[in-house]
Amino acid sequence: MSSSSSSFQFAQQQQQQGGSSEDAVLLRVMAMQDQERTVREMTLMTNRLAEMAFGNCVHHFRATKLSRDEKACVKHCFEKYMKTFQRVAQRFVEQGVEDQKQKAAAAAAGTASTTQ
């Protein structure tokens, strides 16, 4: 779930539970900003990929279309970039899960020592 949709859902829950409408509006604005940031990041990623593939793969400018070799090179660049991106994203998620487990364990340890 994206942070923007979770922010929006949290805003709805707060409003249903009697939270102020100002808080709900603030959370909705934050969700919209998250969405805009995501779109910007995806656009930058796409532009970087296009620049990289063009720089690495397109060598002749005599034809109006890419050659078979250039198309294959662009496809290879795209596939490699996406596999790398997916691997990094997976590691990021795994690290986030591990951080959450550590925080939960620390909180549980802190609660246990407080009750003793």
Side-chain angles (χ1 to χ4, degrees):
M1 178 184 308
S2 73
S3 62
S4 59
S5 64
S6 61
S7 296
F8 181 74
Q9 288 174 345
F10 182 73
Q12 286 179 325
Q13 289 171 355
Q14 288 295 100
Q15 200 167 20
Q16 290 170 354
Q17 295 172 359
S20 75
S21 61
E22 290 142 1
D23 290 343
V25 168
L26 179 61
L27 288 171
R28 285 185 181 146
V29 168
M30 290 170 57
M32 289 172 56
Q33 290 172 337
D34 286 345
Q35 286 178 326
E36 290 172 3
R37 186 177 318 114
T38 300
V39 168
R40 247 188 336 270
E41 290 170 359
M42 292 301 292
T43 300
L44 286 172
M45 185 178 83
T46 301
N47 290 342
R48 277 184 289 215
L49 175 58
E51 288 174 13
M52 179 185 63
F54 187 83
N56 290 334
C57 299
V58 180
H59 304 291
H60 304 287
F61 300 97
R62 295 183 292 263
T64 58
K65 296 182 179 182
L66 295 175
S67 70
R68 185 173 5 130
D69 290 341
E70 290 170 333
K71 285 180 185 178
C73 180
V74 168
K75 181 179 178 185
H76 175 75
C77 282
F78 176 77
E79 289 171 350
K80 186 174 183 179
Y81 190 89
M82 291 308 297
K83 284 179 183 177
T84 303
F85 179 79
Q86 289 170 345
R87 181 175 291 153
V88 168
Q90 180 63 32
R91 297 291 183 252
F92 183 75
V93 168
E94 289 170 359
Q95 184 63 46
V97 168
E98 186 63 32
D99 289 347
Q100 289 298 325
K101 286 179 182 177
Q102 289 175 357
K103 286 178 184 176
T111 304
S113 65
T114 310
T115 57
Q116 292 178 355

